[in-house]
């Protein structure tokens, strides 16, 4: 039913996995939904405690366990990890998952900024739109406010855009 993963992704740990997806699904089907939610929360907390690097996996566990606040934070971390790796499609996916969980205004601004940064290398018009939307959210003078101004103030903001920086 379980087999050892060749290379553990967790330092100094032996990692097991289900022999197949079918076995995994069958095993999970035997667990009551309320018990499964608790197991997901425990898994997320444990993965964070061992400094597991895959924020997306942690976010998915928080989400499946019903802790949307922690899931949103972990999805933002996952989006930032994807930015650092140049995986722009993953940034979009992580931001979409977090936005679907009802972020606060500050969280929404952070998520939109991550999305704007991902788009600035491709669709600069979309990047500017995301930055402008993020700019409209945080309090003027706050760190998210100034971060939101960065794409609009860059050359990617385009001609005639400089007057929009800081404007509401």
């Amino acid at each position: 039913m379980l087999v050892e993963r060749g290379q553990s992704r967790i330092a100094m740990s032996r990692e097991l996995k289900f022999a197949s997806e079918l076995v995994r699904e069958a095993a999970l089907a035997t667990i009551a939904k309320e018990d499964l939610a608790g197991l997901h929360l425990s898994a997320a907390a444990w993965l964070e405690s061992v400094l597991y690097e895959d924020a997306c996996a942690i976010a998915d566990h928080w989400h499946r366990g019903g802790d949307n606040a922690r899931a949103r934070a972990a999805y933002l971390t996952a989006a930032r990890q994807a930015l650092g790796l140049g995986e722009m499609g993953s940034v979009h996916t992580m931001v979409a998952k977090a936005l679907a969980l009802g972020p606060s205004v500050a969280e929404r601004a952070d998520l939109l900024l991550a999305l704007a940064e991902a788009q600035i290398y491709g669709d600069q018009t979309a990047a500017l739109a995301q930055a402008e939307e993020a700019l409209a959210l945080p309090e003027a003078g706050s760190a998210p406010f100034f971060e939101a101004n960065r794409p609009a103030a860059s050359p990617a903001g385009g001609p005639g855009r400089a007057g929009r920086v800081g404007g509401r």
Side-chain angles (χ1 to χ4, degrees):
M1 296 292 183
L2 294 174
V3 295
E4 190 165 350
R5 184 180 293 273
Q7 177 74 21
S8 177
R9 297 169 291 178
I10 301 167
M12 311 277 285
S13 294
R14 188 172 149 223
E15 191 174 346
L16 301 175
K17 65 178 185 173
F18 288 101
S20 71
E21 186 62 26
L22 185 61
V23 171
R24 179 186 167 280
E25 288 177 19
L28 292 176
T30 66
I31 302 171
K33 287 188 190 255
E34 52 277 353
D35 293 338
L36 191 55
L39 292 171
H40 279 295
L41 293 175
S42 294
W46 182 79
L47 288 169
E48 281 186 346
S49 77
V50 296
L51 304 176
Y52 189 58
E53 294 181 5
D54 186 350
C56 179
I58 294 170
D60 285 341
H61 280 297
W62 287 128
H63 183 230
R64 290 179 186 140
D67 191 333
N68 289 346
R70 285 176 140 173
R72 288 190 307 267
Y75 282 131
L76 177 58
T77 299
R80 289 176 175 156
Q81 285 177 346
L83 271 172
L85 296 171
E87 297 173 357
M88 301 315 167
S90 293
V91 174
H92 289 256
T93 300
M94 297 304 107
V95 168
K97 287 182 174 189
L99 289 173
L101 297 177
S104 69
V105 171
E107 289 171 327
R108 183 172 177 78
D110 284 343
L111 291 163
L112 292 173
L113 291 173
L115 191 55
E117 191 167 344
Q119 291 174 326
I120 203 162
Y121 301 106
D123 186 348
Q124 295 176 353
T125 301
L128 183 61
Q130 295 297 332
E132 287 175 341
E133 184 178 347
L135 178 64
L137 295 173
E139 180 179 318
S142 67
F145 174 87
F146 288 110
E147 191 63 24
N149 273 297
R150 193 166 50 97
S154 75
R161 300 284 190 169
R164 299 171 92 168
V165 175
R168 292 204 178 246

